[in-house]
Amino acid sequence: DTEVTQTPKHLVMGMTNKKSLKCEQHMGHRAMYWYKQKAKKPPELMFVYSYEKLSINESVPSRFSPECPNSSLLNLHLHALQPEDSALYLCASSQSLAGDYNEQFFGPGTRLTVL
Amino acid sequence: KNQVEQSPQSLIILEGKNCTLQCNYTVSPFSNLRWYKQDTGRGPVSLTIMTFSENTKSNGRYTATLDADTKQSSLHITASQLSDSASYICVVSSYNAGNMLTFGGGTRLMVKP
């Protein structure tokens, strides 16, 4: 299995809602990432988990809360979001954070719209 | 500051024609360079990955080149197809900060019949 899956594909939420994005991989990768991508822009790194521990938080607002319950799963909990948080949220995984061929495999993304 | 610049920003070509996309980077220390294809609203899919010692790598109709001295890379697409319409993103990895990636702004390619 060389796939990263993300659910849901689309999500519409109000500013007072609480929702979660899910990401799963079964490639035995030990590093997992959350990116945010606005239209016509490259992905921006949000969080990095390495061996289920938060390794990097790129100064993301606390209304985004990541969670890595095990080596195959990565969640992003959303609360009190703003309309400007509407974007494509991408999950990625890699074997680890090190190595020349540390290729990141991306999921299909969740298209989030905040009303 | 690590940067990756791509050109052109957008490109329109006719089906069957070839095209070349450019990528210049100032990432240091360099680990590897990847080209991704991203369809609208989808996640990026890796086309090629090259380390410092590799000059050329092919994947079907896609051929990437790397000149580590001038810090330039190109992606050549041969005999373009309508399905090649997408954004092509050059991404450079650095040994610093856990091999984090620096993304270029992408080239939006449209192939017309």
Side-chain angles (χ1 to χ4, degrees):
Chain A
D1 186 355
T2 59
E3 193 179 34
V4 176
T5 59
Q6 289 187 244
T7 56
K9 289 185 179 180
H10 302 276
L11 178 62
V12 179
M13 60 185 290
M15 289 189 285
T16 59
N17 292 156
K18 285 185 181 180
K19 297 287 184 182
S20 296
L21 309 185
K22 296 185 184 301
C23 173
E24 190 167 1
Q25 56 88 14
H26 295 289
M27 295 179 278
H29 289 174
R30 302 314 298 268
M32 296 186 76
Y33 313 75
W34 279 116
Y35 289 87
K36 172 183 177 181
Q37 187 177 25
K38 303 286 276 186
K40 298 184 180 181
K41 297 290 186 183
E44 298 175 10
L45 183 66
M46 300 174 71
F47 302 104
V48 181
Y49 272 83
S50 178
Y51 290 84
E52 295 125 67
K53 287 185 170 35
L54 184 62
S55 178
I56 294 176
N57 176 342
E58 291 286 351
S59 302
V60 179
S62 60
R63 57 186 185 268
F64 295 92
S65 175
E67 178 197 19
C68 190
N70 60 57
S71 60
S72 299
L73 293 173
L74 185 66
N75 299 322
L76 185 63
H77 302 298
L78 315 172
H79 173 56
L81 294 193
Q82 303 296 313
E84 59 264 29
D85 295 322
S86 298
L88 181 69
Y89 287 83
L90 294 166
C91 173
S93 71
S94 64
Q95 288 184 359
S96 69
L97 292 185
D100 281 345
Y101 281 84
N102 182 28
E103 182 174 0
Q104 289 187 20
F105 292 81
F106 286 84
T110 292
R111 169 67 62 190
L112 173 68
T113 302
V114 182
L115 301 176
Chain B
K1 180 183 176 184
N2 290 337
Q3 284 190 315
V4 177
E5 301 286 341
Q6 290 187 242
S7 62
Q9 284 190 337
S10 61
L11 182 63
I12 301 174
I13 62 174
L14 292 177
E15 186 180 11
K17 298 296 186 182
N18 304 335
C19 66
T20 300
L21 314 180
Q22 301 292 341
C23 172
N24 297 335
Y25 63 92
T26 56
V27 176
S28 182
F30 175 85
S31 174
N32 57 65
L33 182 146
R34 315 110 183 270
W35 283 93
Y36 283 92
K37 177 185 178 185
Q38 185 175 23
D39 293 312
T40 301
R42 305 287 294 175
V45 175
S46 179
L47 295 175
T48 64
I49 179 171
M50 290 183 291
T51 60
F52 184 88
S53 59
E54 296 173 296
N55 301 121
T56 303
K57 186 164 279 191
S58 292
N59 178 0
R61 295 179 296 102
Y62 301 102
T63 298
T65 65
L66 174 64
D67 186 334
D69 291 331
T70 61
K71 298 187 177 181
Q72 295 179 326
S73 176
S74 66
L75 180 70
H76 185 74
I77 304 175
T78 304
S80 61
Q81 301 176 358
L82 299 179
S83 58
D84 292 331
S85 296
S87 286
Y88 291 84
I89 307 175
C90 176
V91 184
V92 183
S93 175
S94 170
Y95 280 117
N96 285 343
N99 257 346
M100 288 304 106
L101 306 182
T102 302
F103 288 79
T107 293
R108 286 181 292 283
L109 175 66
M110 181 179 294
V111 180
K112 290 193 168 183

